[in-house]
Amino acid sequence: METTPLLRVEGVGKAYYSNVVLKNITFSLEEGRILGVVGENGAGKSTLMNILFGMSVIEKTGGYTGSIFVNGEEVHFRRPKDALNAGIGMVHQEFSLIPGFTVTENILLNRESLNYTVAEEVFGSCLRTLNRPAMTTRAESAIKKLNVDLDGETLIAELPVGHKQFTEIAREIANSSTKILVLDEPTAVLTESEADILLASMRRLADAGIAIIFISHRLNEVLTICDDIVVLRDGEVVLNTPTAQTSVRGMAAAMVGRKVESIAPENNEDTRLIGETLLEVDHLWVDMPGETVRNVNLAIRQGEIFGIGGLAGQGKLGIANGIMGLAPAGGTVRFDGKPLALNQPSAPLAAGISAVSEDRRGVGLLLEESIAWNIIFSAMQNQGKFLKPLAGGLVRVRDEAAICACAQRYIADLEIKCVNELQIVQELSGGNQQKVCLAKAFETNPRLLFVAEPTRGIDVGAKKVVLDTLQRYNREFGMTIVMVSSELEELRSICDRIAITDRGRIAGILPASEPSENFGILMMGTAHEGAQTA
Amino acid sequence: MNAIKNFIEEAGWPRILIAAFLVLLFVAAPFVNVRLDASLSDTLVRFGMNGVMVLAMVPMIQSGCGLNFGLPLGIIAGLLGAVTSVELGVQGFAGVCTAMGIALPIAIIFGWGYGLLLNKVKGDEMMIATYVGFSSVAIMCIMWLVLPYSSPNMVWGYAGQGLRTTISVEEFWQNAIGGIGSFNIGEFFYFPTGMFVFFFLCCGLMALFMRTRTGTAMTTVGSNPEYARASGVNIDHMRTLSVIISTVLGALGIIIYQQSFGFIQLYMGPFYMAFPAVAAILIGGASVKKASIVNVIVGTILFQGILTMTPSVINSMIQTDMSEVIRIIVSNGMILYALTRVTKVK
Amino acid sequence: MNKSDGISQFFIRNAVPLVFLVVSAVAIPISQFSPSYLIQELLIRLSRNAFLVLSLLIPIMAGMGLNFGMVLGAMAGQIGLIFVCDWNIVGVQGLLLAAIISTPLAILFGFLCGIVLNKAQGREMVTSYILGFFMNGVYQLVVLYGFGSLVPIVSAKLLLSRGYGIRNVTNLDGMRRSLDELIPLNIAGIEIPVATFLLIGIFCLFVLWFRKTKLGQDMRATGQDMVVARSAGIRVMRTRIISIVISTVLACYGQIVFLQNVGTMNTYNSHEQAGVFAIAALLVGGATVSRASILNVFTGIILFHLVFIVSPMAGKYLLGDAQIGEYFRVFISYGIIALALVLHAWRRMNDKERARAQFRGAEGGAA
């Protein structure tokens, strides 16, 4: 008989209302071992971690099914504090550090060593003073465990990114009760040498008896460091194996899988004419926070549907936002042979390029205005549509009748479910909001349309309408479409060619008919690394 | 029942309380020997005097610059116009037109600079606007002493230089606009037709502007600046334009105010003038992010109504003048309500 | 970062105090005041204002900006003083009693203010500012109509002739300079209010000590990043309220100290001026909306009041009109706040852009 595992997850499932995101997840983790959890964006990793860490979003949306055991005892965390008390420490992707505090202060944030003062007799323990020497000692011992070169007195704001990551980890280690450490993509922000140091530290921690859950997209790292590997796809465990029994290719295949067999490309009825190069991108860099583009070269042809895929944070969204002038960018972009001014949102619009933003509620819509206004605004501003002269052409004002007529046309055409065209967009469902975004872009009659994450957060029915509509506009009006999406199968279902981004560059461009495994390898950055070592 | 609930939700308790209070004042008026027709007439006159300054709030709220606590800047432009017109000695309607004509370019220049400044401090507009208003009033105090005006109607008699704190426009252009087509009903009711025509003309132009391409873009910038930017609108231009319009309306507004009031108030006079205008539009139902012409009209009537009625009615009731205190509590309470509410909605 | 960049950064960071230094260096000789007069005046103003200005430090630490709501504390202090005057208790005992009476009131005001400001996150300053106006109305309602009618006031000297409501000017003769002269000291004809400075000294020590406490640490954390502080388990909202309560209570004591020095109280104006002048002085000392130290407090008071004292006379000798100097004083009080707010907001935007630009620079090298 084996010993009781430190953590055991048994049959855990989670649904956000009718949307099932996790099904029957089972795995276990033993003391001193490192478990790698891999999966595409949206495979259910973050939901699983939210459950493990007792985030309030889980309770608020009806809890989860199945059971979790720590040290053989069943636990049910309702608050992060419960998880902390049970010995689970988590390092999130976003830094949770106070910039003006020193490393020591951050490591011991809200767990400071305190001295007795007289004042606390009256006002309570909050008036104890900080015991700096004791804090320094505690912080140093935590840093020592990691075996990194980190000065406790430096301000966080002055640290390089990698050291911030170490500070976060040190904070969890400093909590002596931490038995299980969850690291959510800790190497994503690190340079190669820093990542090596981190991996070495992880090994040390594991040798000291701490169990680690390591989430990463870098399959090579997972292979190097982990003892066991769990691969998630569509909320299910598709692979649970000791590291020795798998390979990069095996993991990639498991991750990407083949989700929807039925919507394989149906190019049989394709009678389109794919023309000359319409958009030429040369050495493009874009400074979009979290989606940095470093050096992208692309040529998109007239009349095709071009897909851009890749994992989150690898720059696929930055390409569209950079060309549209919404994020600081550099390099050369030529549209229809003419150079396109960057950093100037009106330039691409004037040239006949429109975009549907991935940030629907932040950029794509005027939530507090009507459907009609949302649809026509861009066309009105850039093309002077929907204006009628008044007082003998002295001024031109909104032509409300034409606006309503236009909105009604799109409502019927795209099956937007609403009361009427004057309804406030905020009240619509995500799918219908997305259709409004599409209508806005279509109304400008673009020659080239960027569509970013068009199906994110919308239901299946709307998804189909959106994809069908894109295809229809491409077929009927010859509109060139560049679709950016995290969902590879969705890209494969309507695109002609697909580019995969990795670390702000194009890792490769393949025809959509290639097997998904090949895309998976491009995404995982293994091809890139291979190229580098070669 | 639900309809009532919705109505209260929409309008907000403070507004309903204020409206109810005003109705109560009008109902109580006859019982304490306050003449209704005279009160009504006073309310209307004050409505005409203050309406344009309240309207000045609209463009900046719509473009997302928040409440224009920097209105004194526009008022200063108006004062410069008014003083210069008196210096030139132009009388009657022509005098007011001269005042406005001179104030206009000054207001445009002030508004342009002020707009550029506010573009540099996005997110902190309101606090900075307040202090920009205050400091510009203070610096103008020095200018009033130094500027080379010499009309004996305006400068201190003993020193022969430096403008007086209040300057009468009675001999120049008092009621030059308000008097046009004005009429009396009975002994106490006076209706300043000209002022109303002017106010509604301004409202009409504003409504028209808001429906043009530029006006639409301005509203959109306030509603969601990112959306506007993605649609190719230059956010900073729109904001600057809104500030200029607001400043110009502030300048015109104070001239209308003066021609009815009969005096130009210099020095610390404009110091707190932004607050009644801000309070009025909020009482009318505007928020920190959205305002309409209806808000302006309703708010000005309610707020000026209370300002007119409280001294007369409450004084007759309890023999004390509480109007000042009530004004402070109502106007600042309303602003406070709007400021604390907006984050909740988000 | 090269050396010239460092120097220009120093000038940018300290632009406000430097400008004041230059203005006073020019204006002092013109004003023709004797050094001993200036020193005496400065000492008086330091003892008067230091407490009020110090009360602003703690909310800045908690990230709530300049607490324009400190006038609430000043109101509480004034109410305490009115009662003590009415009961005719004189000297230091009177001050002490006033402080005791007004403390619960100040705590209540501070608590209310804290709750309101928590509802207006991101716009604390303008909200606390308007709250000051609003409470001013309430204060007037109570003091002008409630005192003498609902709240019993015995002394007819305090009341308006109509029988209720406190007069516009309340005489504090009984307590006038009682704290300042508690420990008399006179060096070369200059009177030094030793007891007041002792109190200020104790209070500075309190602020220094407070920064070292757990609560102080929580406040700093909250001030720098509310989200992180909350996720670390710090009760952010409560911490913010406490910071405002402390500030309000201290402003209340500050106002009592201020008024005992002045000797008369403008019942309906004193508190309003307290806010503007304290904030302006702090900013002149080089503090910003997010960073302020005790050093800023004292440099600020000295520089601000130096310019304040000399500007009317300098204006008179320079331009032949003292009035211009008066208005110049008004202008600098408001102008300095406007300037500091603009610089702060502008610098914040610039820093953000510079951070991105640096990041991009590193990236460009990699690409």
Side-chain angles (χ1 to χ4, degrees):
Chain A
M1 189 64 209
E2 291 164 56
T3 48
T4 354
L6 192 54
L7 173 77
R8 172 140 191 89
V9 174
E10 226 170 69
V12 166
K14 167 75 194 162
Y16 287 107
Y17 307 104
S18 58
N19 189 9
V20 178
V21 292
L22 280 185
K23 276 173 283 187
N24 196 22
I25 301 288
T26 303
F27 63 87
S28 54
L29 175 62
E30 268 152 73
E31 212 175 277
R33 288 178 78 86
I34 302 178
L35 174 74
V37 176
V38 290
E40 264 189 298
N41 302 105
K45 290 178 314 224
S46 19
T47 310
L48 181 60
M49 293 309 131
N50 282 342
I51 292 174
L52 261 183
F53 204 58
M55 298 307 273
S56 59
V57 60
I58 301 294
E59 278 299 311
K60 276 183 197 154
T61 50
Y64 61 91
T65 57
S67 30
I68 297 172
F69 301 88
V70 173
N71 266 329
E73 267 176 64
E74 177 156 11
V75 290
H76 194 116
F77 304 134
R78 289 189 168 79
R79 281 171 304 168
K81 217 175 167 183
D82 298 341
L84 280 172
N85 290 339
I88 299 181
M90 183 145 183
V91 178
H92 295 274
Q93 259 168 304
E94 291 95 36
F95 291 128
S96 187
L97 297 171
I98 293 188
F101 275 23
T102 64
V103 169
T104 303
E105 284 173 312
N106 267 293
I107 289 177
L108 298 173
L109 188 62
N110 210 26
R111 285 201 304 264
E112 294 91 348
S113 310
L114 301 174
N115 283 332
Y116 170 81
T117 58
V118 189
E120 74 172 283
E121 297 296 340
V122 191
F123 296 106
S125 63
C126 62
L127 284 186
R128 288 189 189 176
T129 49
L130 303 183
N131 183 348
R132 295 271 171 189
M135 285 172 66
T136 310
T137 320
R138 280 172 62 197
E140 271 172 6
S141 82
I143 295 171
K144 207 178 267 169
K145 272 190 210 165
L146 273 178
N147 197 24
V148 289
D149 182 26
L150 196 59
D151 177 17
E153 295 312 304
T154 325
L155 290 181
I156 289 296
E158 293 160 3
L159 283 182
V161 186
H163 286 192
K164 291 183 186 168
Q165 185 78 61
F166 290 129
T167 309
E168 287 254 12
I169 298 170
R171 179 158 83 196
E172 298 309 320
I173 298 170
N175 185 355
S176 50
S177 64
T178 300
K179 291 273 168 283
I180 301 167
L181 192 60
V182 182
L183 301 175
D184 190 359
E185 293 215 46
T187 54
V189 291
L190 301 185
T191 63
E192 234 157 274
S193 57
E194 284 172 333
D196 289 343
I197 297 174
L198 177 74
L199 295 183
S201 312
M202 282 169 60
R203 198 68 260 174
R204 276 174 67 93
L205 289 175
D207 291 343
I210 291 179
I212 298 175
I213 297 180
F214 177 55
I215 302 174
S216 177
H217 286 315
R218 306 249 162 271
L219 296 185
N220 283 334
E221 286 173 9
V222 174
L223 274 180
T224 325
I225 190 80
C226 294
D227 302 308
D228 304 285
I229 290 168
V230 165
V231 180
L232 292 182
R233 191 202 326 146
D234 292 334
E236 282 180 282
V237 176
V238 288
L239 187 69
N240 186 351
T241 162
T243 311
Q245 294 171 20
T246 185
S247 62
V248 168
R249 212 172 175 85
M251 282 194 283
M255 268 173 77
V256 180
R258 180 169 287 263
K259 290 174 207 164
V260 199
E261 300 293 341
S262 61
I263 50 170
E266 24 188 301
N267 284 344
N268 46 356
E269 45 183 319
D270 194 356
T271 54
R272 291 173 302 162
L273 274 176
I274 305 289
E276 293 297 301
T277 300
L278 182 64
L279 183 77
E280 204 181 339
V281 179
D282 202 18
H283 293 294
L284 178 77
W285 60 263
V286 182
D287 178 22
M288 177 181 170
E291 284 283 344
T292 313
V293 176
R294 284 160 215 273
N295 187 359
V296 158
N297 302 294
L298 277 178
I300 289 155
R301 292 199 295 257
Q302 170 81 48
E304 74 175 333
I305 303 185
F306 188 85
I308 303 179
L311 294 168
Q314 306 301 326
K316 64 177 184 298
L317 294 172
I319 297 173
N321 280 299
I323 295 174
M324 292 310 291
L326 299 179
T332 34
V333 176
R334 297 175 74 83
F335 181 69
D336 207 9
K338 286 183 282 290
L340 187 70
L342 292 170
N343 303 313
Q344 206 179 306
S346 54
L349 288 166
I353 309 178
S354 280
V356 175
S357 172
E358 76 284 353
D359 184 0
R360 201 156 57 215
R361 300 170 67 86
V363 180
L365 291 170
L366 294 167
L367 289 171
E368 291 154 31
E369 309 289 350
S370 69
I371 295 174
W373 204 343
N374 268 282
I375 292 178
I376 59 94
F377 182 76
S378 214
M380 177 200 245
Q381 291 302 319
N382 294 292
Q383 296 159 356
K385 286 183 182 174
F386 307 108
L387 292 168
K388 63 177 179 196
L390 215 67
L394 210 57
V395 284
R396 296 198 301 158
V397 299
R398 287 200 298 272
D399 186 351
E400 305 286 353
I403 290 171
C404 286
C406 165
Q408 279 161 0
R409 206 173 67 238
Y410 280 107
I411 288 171
D413 194 28
L414 303 185
E415 303 168 35
I416 302 173
K417 290 186 193 68
C418 57
V419 180
N420 59 32
E421 72 281 359
L422 298 178
Q423 195 179 2
I424 305 299
V425 168
Q426 202 161 21
E427 298 166 2
L428 300 181
S429 71
N432 288 311
Q433 288 182 348
Q434 187 65 49
K435 291 177 195 167
V436 173
C437 290
L438 282 179
K440 176 184 92 173
F442 289 152
E443 187 49 37
T444 58
N445 290 329
R447 292 180 57 199
L448 178 79
L449 178 65
F450 282 101
V451 196
E453 302 287 4
T455 60
R456 182 189 280 176
I458 69 179
D459 58 88
V460 184
K463 239 178 216 179
K464 189 168 159 36
V465 176
V466 167
L467 293 180
D468 287 352
T469 311
L470 287 173
Q471 215 159 12
R472 179 156 60 88
Y473 270 77
N474 174 258
R475 300 279 187 276
E476 285 175 18
F477 306 106
M479 191 183 284
T480 312
I481 294 177
V482 179
M483 177 158 133
V484 183
S485 173
S486 328
E487 310 232 353
L488 182 61
E489 289 315 311
E490 184 181 295
L491 290 173
R492 290 185 66 224
S493 71
I494 72 165
C495 295
D496 301 303
R497 293 187 300 154
I498 301 169
I500 300 294
T501 57
D502 181 51
R503 304 183 194 191
R505 296 172 178 82
I506 300 289
I509 302 175
L510 297 174
S513 49
E514 290 271 320
S516 20
E517 209 175 292
N518 294 354
F519 291 103
I521 287 171
L522 286 178
M523 268 188 213
M524 297 311 137
T526 38
H528 181 75
E529 269 160 32
Q532 233 174 24
T533 46
Chain B
M1 197 58 213
N2 243 348
I4 298 174
K5 238 185 209 165
N6 279 344
F7 175 72
I8 291 174
E9 188 89 343
E10 285 274 297
W13 278 108
R15 267 159 219 138
I16 295 175
L17 282 180
I18 288 166
F21 182 56
L22 184 62
V23 172
L24 210 67
L25 286 175
F26 271 105
V27 172
F31 296 99
V32 289
N33 297 323
V34 173
R35 287 197 60 99
L36 260 185
D37 51 359
S39 309
L40 210 58
S41 171
D42 275 355
T43 307
L44 289 177
V45 169
R46 297 179 71 143
F47 172 82
M49 284 164 77
N50 290 283
V52 181
M53 279 191 276
V54 182
L55 186 67
M57 294 292 145
V58 174
M60 273 177 67
I61 295 180
Q62 286 294 81
S63 73
C65 295
L67 305 166
N68 183 12
F69 285 108
L71 190 67
L73 211 59
I75 292 178
I76 286 169
L79 291 177
L80 280 168
V83 170
T84 312
S85 149
V86 171
E87 173 82 15
L88 296 174
V90 198
Q91 292 186 329
F93 187 68
V96 181
C97 290
T98 314
M100 289 184 174
I102 294 164
L104 202 69
I106 301 175
I108 290 173
I109 294 168
F110 281 6
W112 180 68
Y114 177 38
L116 290 187
L117 178 75
L118 288 188
N119 282 340
K120 294 236 176 281
V121 298
K122 280 176 198 149
D124 276 340
E125 291 97 343
M126 285 195 263
M127 199 69 220
I128 287 169
T130 312
Y131 276 92
V132 165
F134 284 171
S135 13
S136 58
V137 170
I139 206 159
M140 280 316 287
C141 285
I142 301 175
M143 299 318 281
W144 299 132
L145 285 172
V146 180
L147 287 175
Y149 287 106
S150 60
S151 161
N153 293 303
M154 299 197 296
V155 296
W156 292 109
Y158 54 84
Q161 60 161 15
L163 295 167
R164 287 180 223 158
T165 38
T166 48
I167 295 163
S168 169
V169 296
E170 204 181 336
E171 293 166 37
F172 298 93
W173 30 266
Q174 187 168 18
N175 278 330
I177 287 182
I180 300 170
S182 66
F183 54 89
N184 281 353
I185 299 173
E187 193 184 340
F188 295 100
F189 188 89
Y190 166 78
F191 190 83
T193 317
M195 243 175 0
F196 270 74
V197 171
F198 185 82
F199 171 67
F200 283 105
L201 194 71
C202 287
C203 286
L205 286 175
M206 177 67 77
L208 193 69
F209 170 72
M210 283 301 170
R211 290 184 56 205
T212 61
R213 190 166 97 158
T214 315
T216 312
M218 194 178 278
T219 307
T220 311
V221 167
S223 191
N224 181 354
E226 286 305 310
Y227 174 99
R229 197 164 74 96
S231 300
V233 174
N234 187 327
I235 300 178
D236 283 357
H237 283 183
M238 284 303 148
R239 285 168 53 106
T240 311
L241 183 63
S242 79
V243 175
I244 292 176
I245 297 175
S246 181
T247 309
V248 165
L249 283 174
L252 299 184
I254 192 68
I255 294 173
I256 291 293
Y257 182 92
Q258 289 158 352
Q259 62 82 33
S260 173
F261 187 54
F263 297 96
I264 303 170
Q265 294 164 295
L266 299 178
Y267 299 95
M268 300 305 267
F271 205 71
Y272 286 120
M273 280 225 174
F275 290 84
V278 170
I281 195 159
L282 293 175
I283 289 172
S287 73
V288 180
K289 287 189 73 187
K290 275 258 169 304
S292 69
I293 310 280
V294 178
N295 297 147
V296 172
I297 298 169
V298 173
T300 315
I301 288 183
L302 283 179
F303 188 61
Q304 293 301 331
I306 283 180
L307 292 196
T308 328
M309 296 302 287
T310 39
S312 50
V313 177
I314 304 268
N315 281 8
S316 320
M317 272 159 78
I318 58 170
Q319 272 77 48
T320 359
D321 184 7
M322 285 181 75
S323 56
E324 178 66 9
V325 172
I326 289 175
R327 183 186 66 79
I328 294 175
I329 293 182
V330 166
S331 59
N332 293 301
M334 198 63 225
I335 301 173
L336 204 56
Y337 173 80
L339 285 175
T340 48
R341 206 177 142 79
V342 73
T343 39
K344 257 193 192 163
V345 175
K346 264 185 194 171
Chain C
M1 198 173 282
N2 58 33
K3 201 177 165 193
S4 70
D5 202 27
I7 293 171
S8 69
Q9 280 292 314
F10 172 82
F11 275 103
I12 293 168
R13 298 231 169 259
N14 297 293
V16 181
L18 287 174
V19 166
F20 267 72
L21 207 61
V22 171
V23 169
S24 40
V26 173
I28 290 172
I30 300 173
S31 73
Q32 302 175 9
F33 282 121
S34 72
S36 64
Y37 173 82
L38 278 180
I39 292 171
Q40 176 73 70
E41 278 294 308
L42 274 181
L43 278 178
I44 291 175
R45 283 163 195 266
L46 260 179
S47 70
R48 256 187 211 171
N49 292 291
F51 225 110
L52 282 170
V53 182
L54 283 166
S55 78
L56 292 167
L57 291 185
I58 286 172
I60 292 180
M61 203 164 107
M64 301 178 79
L66 302 163
N67 181 20
F68 286 87
M70 69 173 283
V71 295
L72 271 66
M75 288 176 206
Q78 285 171 200
I79 291 175
L81 283 172
I82 292 173
F83 280 119
V84 172
C85 275
D86 183 39
W87 302 334
N88 212 9
I89 299 165
V90 299
V92 178
Q93 292 90 330
L95 293 180
L96 210 60
L97 187 65
I100 292 170
I101 296 171
S102 48
T103 304
L105 211 56
I107 292 176
L108 177 74
F109 286 175
F111 185 68
L112 289 177
C113 184
I115 289 176
V116 169
L117 294 191
N118 274 347
K119 284 193 173 189
Q121 279 164 28
R123 54 179 101 223
E124 283 96 349
M125 279 200 273
V126 70
T127 310
S128 70
Y129 180 73
I130 299 290
L131 184 67
F133 279 127
F134 177 74
M135 286 304 283
N136 183 33
V138 177
Y139 172 86
Q140 283 194 22
L141 187 71
V142 172
V143 176
L144 196 54
Y145 302 101
F147 274 40
S149 53
L150 300 170
V151 182
I153 294 287
V154 195
S155 165
K157 270 195 296 181
L158 286 177
L159 293 178
L160 290 164
S161 52
R162 68 183 183 206
Y164 63 90
I166 304 296
R167 283 170 194 262
N168 282 339
V169 176
T170 307
N171 210 326
L172 304 174
D173 273 342
M175 284 170 277
R176 184 154 197 266
R177 299 182 58 80
S178 57
L179 180 65
D180 294 345
E181 290 165 356
L182 190 66
I183 308 171
L185 180 68
N186 194 318
I187 298 173
I190 296 169
E191 284 177 42
I192 300 171
V194 182
T196 316
F197 278 121
L198 273 180
L199 202 65
I200 292 167
I202 292 170
F203 179 52
C204 288
L205 290 178
F206 167 77
V207 171
L208 290 176
W209 171 81
F210 183 78
R211 285 193 183 173
K212 293 201 179 111
T213 62
K214 173 79 179 98
L215 185 60
Q217 185 81 353
D218 287 356
M219 258 173 214
R220 286 175 57 215
T222 307
Q224 296 207 12
D225 195 322
M226 264 169 69
V227 182
V228 173
R230 184 180 287 133
S231 69
I234 295 170
R235 289 162 74 184
V236 173
M237 291 300 168
R238 180 167 163 273
T239 308
R240 282 163 57 99
I241 292 178
I242 293 175
S243 84
I244 293 288
V245 169
I246 295 177
S247 169
T248 313
V249 171
L250 293 177
C252 158
Y253 299 158
Q255 184 74 351
I256 294 174
V257 172
F258 178 88
L259 290 173
Q260 65 86 31
N261 178 284
V262 178
T264 52
M265 173 170 109
N266 282 321
T267 317
Y268 304 106
N269 291 104
S270 286
H271 53 270
E272 281 188 37
Q273 288 159 5
V276 174
F277 290 157
I279 286 168
L282 184 64
L283 294 173
V284 168
T288 69
V289 174
S290 57
R291 186 175 48 85
S293 67
I294 291 180
L295 183 68
N296 295 141
V297 172
F298 290 101
T299 7
I301 298 174
I302 292 173
L303 285 175
F304 181 68
H305 284 282
L306 206 55
V307 172
F308 224 72
I309 297 163
V310 297
S311 63
M313 288 315 276
K316 189 174 172 189
Y317 290 124
L318 203 63
L319 302 158
D321 195 344
Q323 192 67 36
I324 291 180
E326 291 281 340
Y327 284 128
F328 182 68
R329 292 200 326 195
V330 180
F331 168 65
I332 54 168
S333 330
Y334 291 108
I336 198 67
I337 299 181
L339 180 68
L341 292 172
V342 169
L343 281 180
H344 178 72
W346 186 56
R347 193 180 294 156
R348 207 181 48 196
M349 271 175 89
N350 266 2
D351 282 354
K352 224 185 271 170
E353 262 164 41
R354 190 170 341 137
R356 290 305 305 174
Q358 269 176 8
F359 179 56
R360 207 181 301 158
E363 210 169 81

